Amino acid sequence: MSNNIDSSDVVIIGGGLAGLTTAALLARSEKTVTLFERSSKEIGGRARTTEIDGFYFNQGPHAIYLTDATDTILKELGITYTGGIPAGKGYLISGGKKREIAGDYSSWLSGKSDDGSQFFISPTKIDFSQLENVTEQEWLDKNIRDINDAEIIKTIIRLNTYANDPDIMSIGPVLHQIYVASQAGGVMYLDGGWQTLVDGLLTVAKNANARIVMGKKAIRVKRNDSSRWQVLLEDKTEVSSKIVVIAAGPKDAYSLFDDSERPDVLSKAVQEAKPVRLVCLDVALSSLPDKDTLFALGVDRPLYFSVHSAYAKLAPKGGALIHVAKYLGTSIEPKPREDQPELEELLDLLQPGWRQVLVKKRPLPNMVVSNALVTAADGGLGGRPDTRVADNLYIVGDWVGKEGIVSNASVASAKRASQQILNG
């Protein structure tokens, strides 16, 4: 086997959502692109979906915001998808008891004061950019007088960010995310899972002649004598490229460089990054015991429950696919022996009899939802690294750029890096 792969205009390291979006955008603009994905079997990172007996398992609960970066950029690429918008009643759970709620966030509050409800009615009055350095807890202490309302708003924040760190998380991007969620359309669960998006991005990239190389792990990036970038793969293969885009988390990006060549921004990012994590239990049932209970959130405990198959095609006829989760703080270590029984107890409360119709349950005891929490101490989104970190060297992902959180950050950073590359 040759020790070299023909060079491309752009080499992309990583085949998650950010890497695939970058590949699609650049290849469609007639750049020669080669993407290396270290897995030999799967591509898409946390956006991939696993099909088991007609059930479509996302990597924990996923929803697409219909008015944000992901939807906009996918439409630009001509990628279409279908699904359902969760609506109707749900439940808030506190003290082991459930209280019925409607879909409108403002109706979840007590109504004893108008500070919380007024925000949800008129979010456009908030200048989110002025709140980047303010923590969630600081904002709540200043603006929400009712303690019960403050706890419910924390619950809404967990739902929209997957994060459970009120003492350090920046409130600015959080409120923006809630504003986006409250807009017309809200969020959507996708038919066939998020693999629909992965497959769409792959199709666009390949149709534009991008090369997608599976089972090739990049282990080193360095400058060569001609000021091009040299990418060394685990099998000793080397590839030369004018431009390199790293679509990986901070630790993986950091590990690709020797100390003498590593951009300072990667050292800072790996030191400061606080991953956002969930404990998940994904459950497939042959039927749904309680067809009226489709959504619930814990208030006094950071728990989530949603029957995604009630709104999207994710299960065989009559079957149900449920995502149950616990939001972990960045400083909280998962405890599988305690966490999984807690999630099963939540199912016992909301879907009694679920064990008798169980087809498959898949625990994800320590799932990383996002590589880096957006913190007030770092200046909110303004504290995240830009996509361009050196001459012809770029990073993309959910921890990069000044726009969005979670998947929206991944796709928005891919768009920004692509624009920077195309503009020279």
Side-chain angles (χ1 to χ4, degrees), residues 132-175:
E132 296 282 351
N133 299 94
V134 179
T135 70
E136 173 188 336
Q137 191 62 56
E138 288 170 342
W139 185 86
L140 289 169
D141 290 343
K142 181 178 179 181
N143 293 280
I144 310 300
R145 288 161 287 183
D146 186 277
I147 295 174
N148 292 325
D149 282 354
E151 291 304 309
I152 290 171
I153 291 173
K154 285 183 181 180
T155 303
I156 293 168
I157 288 171
R158 290 194 294 264
L159 173 66
N160 282 274
T161 65
Y162 298 90
N164 184 23
D165 286 281
D167 292 328
I168 59 175
M169 182 163 63
S170 168
I171 192 64
V174 169
L175 296 184

Side-chain angles (χ1 to χ4, degrees), residues 212-230:
I212 310 296
V213 184
M214 303 289 291
K216 295 282 189 179
K217 181 181 178 180
I219 60 172
R220 186 69 68 225
V221 175
K222 60 182 180 180
R223 289 280 191 189
N224 64 19
D225 294 338
S226 61
S227 294
R228 292 170 65 83
W229 290 103
Q230 200 79 11

